[in-house]
Amino acid sequence: MAQSVGIKDVARAAGVSVGTVSNVINRPDSVASETRARVLSAIDRLGYVRSESARQLRAGHSRIMGLLVLDMGNPFFVDVARGAERAARNAGLGVMVCNSAQSPSEEADYLSLFAEQRVRGVLLTPSDASGRNIEAFRRNGIPFVLVDRVADGTTECSVSVDDVAGGALAVRHLVDAGHRSIAYVSGPPGLSQVRDRRTGALNALAEAGLGPGSLRELPTERLDVAAGRDAGARLLGLAERPTAVFCANDLLALGVLQAMYAAGVGVPDDLAIVGYDDIEFAAAAAVPLTSVRQPAVTMGALAAELLLEEIDSETAPAPHEHRRVVLQPELVVRHSSLAAR
């Protein structure tokens, strides 16, 4: 195995002190041009790469922003990461993206990793409904911003979408189309987004004079296509099948759509489907999917900007003021819900 090249090797090759090499790397204007050129030539010739971890130890922090999401298999979170990465890059920071897989234990492990790496700050979509992981991470003194979530008992900055309004948009659309029996494929009940979208759905039913019994909830353990197919199979087995289904995200909706297609159930003639997130695949599905759009890229960018403001406030005369930004969803109507009852 080839031995790594250190700063002492560069100094020896250039015939200068280690301090001079350090100045060329960190304060090049302080070194005479001829000496600087000699050091840079040695760096290039030897292939020296400075140790970022050593620099972090001296500075007390890194040039990395952590991003911990529920599921990187969901294109919604890919878009959140795109927005966050863009804002971080403009500030000279990189983004370390990690996936909790909706697991509180994995979330705890990654938050510990962020603390060990001394990241500048963290963007977090929590999976631990108890809040214990957030409380433990707060003790590290590393700023963080909640993304797609406002967690109870926290005062930190957050950027989220009004999911109650989004759930109401979806079900109001179905009620207006004549549906009176609607299923809600909801995902894990511990997630606040799932609960808020259900609340919105019930609000829309109440507006139409329909009771909560008009909403048949089908919970799933995960928010992916496989869970949607399983929910679709359960839906097909109901003695009194609802005429429409609202899904807590688009991956679930696509799974339900696959189950209906395999069983020969027509969408939207036999069953209308509405998803949530409006990922790219929603419009490209075999039956283009009606969905509640979340501005995911904007959400990630705004969250990163709030985090950068808090980081910069460490050296500012005025203290940082935490803010909660709530964005509004939008219903995008496509063929999956267009059949009138």
Side-chain angles (χ1 to χ4, degrees):
M1 181 181 295
Q3 187 173 0
S4 62
V5 176
I7 193 170
K8 291 182 179 179
D9 300 306
V10 174
R12 189 180 304 112
V16 298
S17 68
V18 170
T20 298
V21 176
S22 177
N23 285 337
V24 169
I25 295 170
N26 298 297
R27 296 178 296 278
D29 292 341
S30 67
V31 182
S33 59
E34 182 179 341
T35 303
R36 186 168 65 243
R38 195 163 70 249
V39 170
L40 290 174
S41 175
I43 288 174
D44 183 62
R45 186 169 67 254
L46 297 175
Y48 168 74
V49 178
R50 71 171 177 173
S51 172
E52 180 63 16
S53 60
R55 191 202 65 79
Q56 290 174 199
L57 286 172
R58 292 192 299 271
H61 53 69
S62 74
R63 292 188 296 113
I64 297 296
M65 177 187 296
L67 172 61
L68 181 56
V69 300
L70 293 178
D71 181 12
M72 279 307 294
N74 186 338
F76 166 76
F77 287 111
V78 175
D79 286 342
V80 169
R82 283 175 49 215
E85 191 273 337
R86 186 181 305 161
R89 186 176 66 245
N90 290 339
L93 299 180
V95 177
M96 178 192 297
V97 182
C98 297
N99 176 27
S100 72
Q102 302 173 38
S103 165
S105 62
E106 291 192 36
E107 175 182 273
D109 290 342
Y110 279 123
L111 289 174
S112 295
L113 174 65
F114 288 154
E116 291 169 5
Q117 294 297 315
R118 304 183 185 187
V119 297
R120 295 303 303 273
V122 172
L123 304 177
L124 169 64
T125 302
S127 62
D128 178 23
S130 73
R132 285 190 292 267
N133 287 342
I134 288 178
E135 184 58 37
F137 183 71
R138 188 182 283 114
R139 301 189 193 108
N140 295 297
I142 298 173
F144 64 91
V145 172
L146 301 178
V147 185
D148 193 34
R149 182 76 55 85
V150 177
D152 295 335
T154 65
T155 59
E156 280 77 15
C157 289
S158 65
V159 180
S160 61
V161 166
D162 188 341
D163 284 317
V164 174
L169 281 174
V171 172
R172 191 178 296 123
H173 167 69
L174 292 172
V175 169
D176 289 346
H179 297 281
R180 296 296 180 265
S181 177
I182 300 169
Y184 176 42
V185 178
S186 60
L191 295 179
S192 63
Q193 297 99 319
V194 166
R195 298 193 303 270
D196 288 347
R197 292 166 196 177
R198 179 179 182 273
T199 297
L202 292 173
N203 290 348
L205 291 173
E207 289 172 7
L210 300 171
S214 299
L215 190 72
R216 177 71 177 266
E217 186 165 1
L218 297 173
T220 63
E221 293 184 358
R222 301 189 64 79
L223 291 163
D224 54 24
V225 174
R229 285 195 297 267
D230 175 71
R234 283 185 280 152
L235 189 65
L236 290 167
L238 295 177
E240 296 183 7
R241 186 190 306 164
T243 61
V245 58
F246 166 44
C247 298
N249 77 356
D250 285 341
L251 296 182
L252 290 172
L254 291 171
V256 171
L257 179 62
Q258 289 179 7
M260 296 304 110
Y261 181 82
V265 174
V267 176
D269 294 329
D270 298 320
L271 183 76
I273 302 176
V274 176
Y276 205 104
D277 290 340
D278 195 33
I279 62 176
E280 184 177 355
F281 298 134
V287 179
L289 185 67
T290 294
S291 184
V292 178
R293 175 178 294 165
Q294 296 199 84
V297 175
T298 299
M299 191 183 302
L302 287 175
E305 289 166 5
L306 286 175
L307 185 59
L308 291 166
E309 285 180 18
E310 185 169 358
I311 292 169
D312 292 341
S313 73
E314 296 171 357
T315 57
H320 173 74
E321 293 185 5
H322 292 308
R323 303 200 306 276
R324 291 188 173 186
V325 178
V326 180
L327 305 174
Q328 292 303 308
E330 173 190 358
L331 182 70
V332 181
V333 178
R334 299 191 181 94
H335 187 63
S336 71
S337 65
L338 283 181
R341 304 305 297 174

